[in-house]
Amino acid sequence: MSGFSARTGFPRTWNPLARALDERRRRGLPLLDLTETNPTRVGLPAPEPALLASPGALGYAPEPQGLLPAREAVAAHLASRGAPVSPGHLVLSASTSESYGWLFKLLCEPGDNVLVPAPSYPLFEYLTRLEGVEARTYRLPRAPGFGLDVEEVAAARDARTRAVLVVNPGNPTGHYLHEGELEALGRLCAEAGLALLSDEVFSDFAWDEAPGRVPTVAGRELPMLTFSLSGLSKVAGLPGLKLGWTHVGGPAALREEALARLELVADTYLPVNTPVQLALPGLLAHAPRFQQALLARVKENRRRLLQARPAEARWDVLPAQGGWSTVLRIPLEPGEEATCLALLDEGVCVQPGYFYDFTGGAFLVLSLLPAPEHFSAAMEPLVRVLATSG
Ligand SMILES: Cc1ncc(COP(=O)(O)O)c(C=O)c1O
């Protein structure tokens, strides 16, 4: 079609699952939605909205990296997670997604590429393409629980690769980056002149403690340029407030050049809105309450799922260490989509693994956020439908 850019020509046809879901909703049939990941819709604690109405909320103080008190609040949050950082090395944006766009502008010429993990969050394809950048996939092998295999990363690289993206912990795989993986990645990135983009939006949501995990690359001495990304959407469960942050790290000269250039990129888009920046210290002070409630919810729902699984079942709940979702490995027949459609007929909505680019088997992805009574009510039809597979 003439007149439009090729990079906005994404397919817009609905898959059979989206059509069936729409039909069910239009007919007003009941639905137990185990794809719900909107933290504002599942009855978790929210902060006082009055936080957004501070004196000065309507003022405007252009500061490309973000207002200093807001960046100090992010630095204090990271310090409380064991990552002491300077507020001078932080850049605020309107979301993690916007941060990605800025980083692709910073690092890539049109036609360059970045390496993205698979299986993973499906938005990278869009975020890269909209910036004229190619997303090249490196596989996370299932055997060590979807951990990072640096050989896979190295094999995916070519002469136009500029950066490696890691999602830590993985969404929806829930695998945390480990010290050995980071060390190997550091060697590869330093040798090949690649930057590391570490998406840490779920990093605060570990289900248990374990030695050797890397909760964040912020504040660490690493041999390559590093960007660690997070924001209010997951940390405080407030995606509607549109605030993300990027910590820039790595060798000092590279870091300073990156910050100077990012300042210009940020300035071009004008700063994050004032009310949310002024509210940030209060919003981050609320985050632990939200996170505790969310973790209790996620663990309880996962416990119910494990309890509901019959001992002789031909499906498994995959091991994971954190995040908001859980992955089931199901029999190859009748397959992901047919199973999702059969579940939908029973009023239960789950996602097929192919949404996240799983390969080498059949998988379902379930959100662990729904209220426990909803989650529990979905267990009987889930177990019944899965019993007919294979
Ligand atoms: C791994 C990951 N990164 C980034 C985002 C987007 O976050 P934001 O709302 O800050 O753009 C999501 C949203 O689900 C996500 O799952």
Side-chain angles (χ1 to χ4, degrees), residues 32 34 304-305 308-310 315 343 346 348 374-387:
L32 294 165
L34 303 194
R304 290 178 189 213
L305 173 65
R309 181 185 174 277
W315 54 276
L343 281 166
E346 300 290 329
V348 177
H374 284 103
F375 194 86
S376 282
M379 291 302 101
E380 185 278 322
L382 179 80
V383 170
R384 184 159 38 81
V385 168
L386 289 180

Side-chain angles (χ1 to χ4, degrees), residues 95-98 100 121 167 171 199 201-202 231 233-234 239:
S95 62
T96 317
S97 309
E98 185 174 73
Y100 276 117
Y121 171 64
V167 182
N171 174 18
D199 181 327
V201 298
F202 290 109
S233 114
K234 304 294 184 290

Side-chain angles (χ1 to χ4, degrees), residues 248-259:
V248 185
L254 280 176
R255 184 191 64 216
E256 293 312 310
E257 182 65 21
L259 280 164

Side-chain angles (χ1 to χ4, degrees), residues 37 93-100 120-124 127 166-172 199-202 229-234 238-240 242-245 324 356:
T37 51
S93 64
S95 62
T96 317
S97 309
E98 185 174 73
S99 306
Y100 276 117
S120 191
Y121 171 64
L123 226 65
F124 295 134
L127 290 171
V166 296
V167 182
N168 181 30
N171 174 18
D199 181 327
E200 297 166 356
V201 298
F202 290 109
L229 283 67
S230 193
L232 281 185
S233 114
K234 304 294 184 290
L238 298 166
K242 302 297 295 172
L243 186 126
W245 55 82
W324 295 8
Y356 296 87

